[in-house]
Amino acid sequence: MKIKLWINDKVYNDTIEPDMMLMDYLREKGFKSVKCGCDTTNCGLCTVYMDGKTVLSCSVPAARASGHHIVTLEGVAAEAEAFARFMAVQGAEQCGYCSPGFIMNVLAMAKELKNPMEQEIKEYLAGNLCRCTGYEGQYRAIKNYLAVTQANYKLFEKGEVIEGVR
């Protein structure tokens, strides 16, 4: 089966087996941030963006992704690194195994939800499993990150300088 898709703004034309999952295709192409943690769509480790919306790549046939734009953690590396550093400064770093899917969802949430309450954050991240924490540090850090990020968006919209960038 022939497919054509864009991964992190680069076009890929390939022939695949009809039953190949997007997660397997992405890993085959070298996008190792996409991980398998459960094979049951319960952990969130394989989260990517398809046309700007989060999807679990373990549940999407690669053939269905044909014609679509996929973004992996590698495609949002600068934003991901900024968030990861923020988490570390907040004392909420993790072992790292679940981080790629977790970060993809947090970055999507930052763009989608404006001033979410803690319950909204928990609901948005309900599909991300972390086996090494109790989540409280992460929720605190996420709330702080969203506050800073949204304040920066407001400054940017007003045309003000943000961290030396106009």
Side-chain angles (χ1 to χ4, degrees):
M1 167 174 276
K2 291 186 183 263
I3 63 169
K4 177 182 180 179
L5 65 154
W6 291 260
I7 304 171
N8 301 331
D9 293 326
K10 181 180 175 192
V11 69
Y12 290 80
N13 287 292
D14 280 304
T15 301
I16 62 165
E17 293 297 320
D19 62 347
M20 181 177 235
M21 299 308 285
L22 179 59
M23 177 187 70
D24 298 320
Y25 179 79
L26 293 169
R27 289 189 61 80
E28 186 179 282
K29 294 299 174 190
F31 300 100
K32 301 299 184 190
S33 69
V34 182
K35 297 177 183 173
C36 178
C38 67
D39 260 341
T40 58
T41 70
N42 288 310
C43 72
L45 270 64
C46 65
T47 301
V48 298
Y49 304 149
M50 185 161 72
D51 297 332
K53 299 288 184 190
T54 58
V55 297
L56 298 172
S57 63
C58 73
S59 68
V60 176
R64 189 174 137 225
S66 186
H68 294 277
H69 292 263
I70 306 300
V71 176
T72 67
L73 188 69
E74 291 88 350
V76 292
E79 285 178 274
E81 184 178 341
F83 176 69
R85 286 177 190 249
F86 192 91
M87 291 284 286
V89 167
Q90 295 281 311
E93 64 272 328
Q94 303 159 256
C95 76
Y97 192 73
C98 67
S99 293
F102 179 77
I103 290 171
M104 294 295 284
N105 276 306
V106 170
L107 296 178
M109 181 176 46
K111 292 175 182 156
E112 187 178 323
L113 301 180
K114 302 299 176 209
N115 302 315
M117 302 303 293
E118 185 169 346
Q119 187 58 36
E120 291 174 290
I121 295 170
K122 288 179 178 181
E123 288 170 8
Y124 200 98
L125 298 175
N128 287 96
L129 296 182
C130 175
R131 290 168 174 82
C132 65
T133 70
Y135 298 103
E136 292 309 311
Q138 284 79 12
Y139 290 136
R140 181 191 70 251
I142 291 167
K143 286 191 284 187
N144 292 338
Y145 175 78
L146 292 174
V148 167
T149 301
Q150 290 172 356
N152 281 344
Y153 285 147
K154 288 176 186 172
L155 288 174
F156 182 74
E157 287 171 356
K158 291 180 182 178
E160 296 180 29
V161 174
I162 303 169
E163 298 178 21
V165 178
R166 184 172 276 287

